[in-house]
């Protein structure tokens, strides 16, 4: 996991103290680790951590479904 | 086939949407990121509508957020992000909320076969709730 993705993981964990870890393939949406209200804040955090502006109009739920997908899309791949 | 498995509700049914928003969560969001952060969810005129002579009315903010969520739920769109700024909550002269759809939200409503969305908002102490219903094409 890239070092700048760690704050993202920590942010989720801080809001779910019952969890000690988040598997890379855990569905963050289905498991309600990110809900609709926190979604906006989460995207803001991703922008800060990745250094990339995220176009909300082009964003789909699947782009943020797991930490693995987030890493691939926002922290390792070229901007799409 | 069960009703839940059907592709859509029978004619005349309304796909209701409902949402609840905690003032505590919104307050924490503002404390952490500042009031300007709300402009990711509210348009500038919505945010202006939430200001009173005493400052920002947090429950008014929560009510608008809940209304947008409720309105979006009526569209029954899977795997799509709520187009926050394309669903605008305005106040009618009588005081009740009106939903204005723009851009992507307007397109999603057209695709859903509805002409608009009506909402009702209520709040008490630390929560705001909203329910939305689609307005059928006349």
């Amino acid at each position: 996991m890239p070092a700048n993705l760690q704050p993202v993981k920590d942010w989720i964990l801080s809001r779910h103290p019952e969890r000690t870890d988040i598997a890379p393939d855990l569905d963050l949406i289905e498991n309600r680790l990110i809900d609709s209200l926190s979604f906006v804040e989460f995207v803001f955090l991703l922008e800060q951590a990745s250094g990339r502006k995220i176009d909300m109009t082009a964003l789909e739920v699947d782009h943020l479904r797991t930490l693995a997908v987030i890493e691939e899309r926002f922290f390792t791949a070229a901007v799409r | 086939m069960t009703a839940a498995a059907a592709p859509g509700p029978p004619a005349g049914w309304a796909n209701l949407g409902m949402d609840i928003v905690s003032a505590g969560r919104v307050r924490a969001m503002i404390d952490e990121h500042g009031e300007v952060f709300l402009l990711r969810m509210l348009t500038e005129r919505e945010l202006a509508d939430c200001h009173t002579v005493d400052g920002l009315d947090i429950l008014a903010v929560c009510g608008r957020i809940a209304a947008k969520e409720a309105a979006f739920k009526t569209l029954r769109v899977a795997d799509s992000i709520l187009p926050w700024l394309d669903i605008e909550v305005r106040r009618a002269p009588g005081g009740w909320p009106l939903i204005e759809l723009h851009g992507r939200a307007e397109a999603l409503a057209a695709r859903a076969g509805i002409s608009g969305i009506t909402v009702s908002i209520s709040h008490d102490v630390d929560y705001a709730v909203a329910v939305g219903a689609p307005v059928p094409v006349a």
Side-chain angles (χ1 to χ4, degrees):
Chain A
M1 175 185 291
N4 48 358
L5 183 56
Q6 188 62 44
V8 175
K9 185 175 176 179
D10 291 344
W11 183 87
I12 299 172
L13 287 171
S14 72
R15 279 152 177 79
H16 298 276
E18 75 282 4
R19 286 189 174 269
T20 55
D21 196 15
I22 302 171
D25 60 346
L26 182 73
D27 191 319
L28 304 174
I29 313 296
E30 289 294 320
N31 287 282
R32 302 184 66 81
L33 296 186
I34 307 173
D35 64 16
S36 53
L37 185 59
S38 61
F39 211 90
V40 179
E41 204 173 3
F42 187 66
V43 170
F44 178 68
L45 178 73
L46 274 182
E47 287 185 345
Q48 290 184 315
S50 68
R52 297 175 184 178
K53 175 75 179 159
I54 297 174
D55 180 4
M56 286 288 281
T57 62
L59 196 61
E60 296 174 15
V61 172
D62 282 347
H63 298 161
L64 303 173
R65 197 167 281 284
T66 67
L67 286 176
V69 168
I70 290 169
E71 178 180 346
E72 192 274 335
R73 188 166 190 93
F74 299 104
F75 290 85
T76 58
V79 178
R80 297 178 210 185
Chain B
M1 181 183 289
T2 65
W13 280 59
N15 287 327
L16 296 180
M18 187 175 182
D19 197 65
I20 181 167
V21 173
S22 155
R25 285 187 65 184
V26 172
R27 208 174 282 120
M29 208 179 270
I30 295 170
D31 288 347
E32 190 167 350
H33 307 297
E35 188 180 312
V36 70
F37 183 79
L38 295 176
L39 290 172
R40 287 179 169 248
M41 291 179 281
L42 304 181
T43 65
E44 287 189 10
R45 57 181 183 173
E46 285 177 315
L47 188 55
D49 286 344
C50 293
H51 276 275
T52 70
V53 291
D54 296 322
L56 183 65
D57 180 348
I58 293 285
L59 282 179
V61 172
C62 294
R64 279 158 180 77
I65 292 171
K68 287 170 186 244
E69 295 265 18
F72 184 61
K73 287 177 181 176
T74 70
L75 298 175
R76 299 290 193 267
V77 183
D79 296 331
S80 185
I81 307 290
L82 196 165
W84 286 98
L85 303 181
D86 284 344
I87 299 177
E88 194 169 25
V89 184
R90 303 292 295 157
R91 190 162 38 197
W96 51 85
L98 294 175
I99 293 290
E100 288 181 8
L101 301 176
H102 312 287
R104 195 158 70 87
E106 191 174 20
L108 289 170
R111 199 179 308 161
I114 62 174
S115 66
I117 301 168
T118 182
V119 296
S120 182
I121 302 171
S122 187
H123 27 66
D124 188 25
V125 186
D126 211 31
Y127 288 91
V129 296
V131 63
V135 178
V137 175

